[in-house]
Amino acid sequence: MANQIFNMALGRMAEWYVRIDGNDPANSAFIIIAWNSTATDAVIKDLDTVAAIEADANTAEVTNSGYARKTLTDADLVAFAPDDGNDRVDLDIPDQTWTAVAAGSAWTDLSINYDSDTAAGTDSNIVPGSWHDFSVTPDGSDIIAQIAAAGFFRAS
């Protein structure tokens, strides 16, 4: 589960999941980004776009060879289904693998972000959703982000 939800995303993660799963709009997707950050959670959660996260002096997207942002579209998501028995919604995504990530930037966090238009979007149009502690020191091997069985987000 997420360590925190960005203020901009409170109450919206399930909506974004449904929109991406329904391909509405057609180019919407979740964007997964790896970060090296020493910023506090209190600072991070107030940032409203990926561009704002990048502008934070204590946070930078990693630049290791073998790293690239992950884009998850409707084809990558399981059908949206609320858990009526437990009165909640758990959102899941597949585990993510980066292959042969070279040494360089240490990874401290992952964010799952919403882009309503991957064809024309810029980082100032990508809205941060959830922030996850993810401490990894790349060494040339694969890096796998294993998503919890209950998913990356729960709304109740």
Side-chain angles (χ1 to χ4, degrees):
M1 290 296 163
N3 292 85
Q4 69 176 1
I5 304 301
F6 286 81
N7 288 333
M8 285 295 293
L10 294 172
R12 299 176 74 189
M13 289 297 290
E15 170 199 355
W16 293 334
Y17 192 98
V18 169
R19 294 197 73 163
I20 294 166
D21 190 36
N23 205 24
D24 171 36
N27 295 320
S28 60
F30 281 128
I31 309 298
I32 301 174
I33 302 174
W35 301 97
N36 179 297
S37 180
T38 58
T40 65
D41 286 350
V43 167
I44 291 293
K45 79 181 306 177
D46 290 341
L47 303 174
D48 296 338
T49 66
V50 167
I53 298 171
E54 290 170 334
D56 180 78
N58 295 309
T59 304
E61 184 172 2
V62 301
T63 58
N64 309 70
S65 176
Y67 165 77
R69 293 179 179 186
K70 300 286 187 174
T71 301
L72 302 180
T73 66
D74 59 319
D76 301 304
L77 304 180
V78 298
F80 178 81
D83 182 346
D84 293 331
N86 290 304
D87 297 325
R88 66 183 184 218
V89 171
D90 290 328
L91 303 180
D92 195 15
I93 58 173
D95 293 349
Q96 299 298 303
T97 301
W98 290 269
T99 304
V101 179
S105 299
W107 297 21
T108 61
D109 302 277
L110 294 178
S111 65
I112 300 175
N113 313 279
Y114 175 71
D115 189 348
S116 64
D117 187 0
T118 58
T122 64
D123 287 349
S124 60
N125 294 331
I126 301 174
V127 181
S130 58
W131 188 260
H132 306 262
D133 291 341
F134 190 71
S135 180
V136 176
T137 302
D139 62 4
S141 59
D142 293 354
I143 295 176
I144 300 171
Q146 186 174 17
I147 310 304
F152 74 95
F153 176 83
R154 174 174 285 165
S156 57

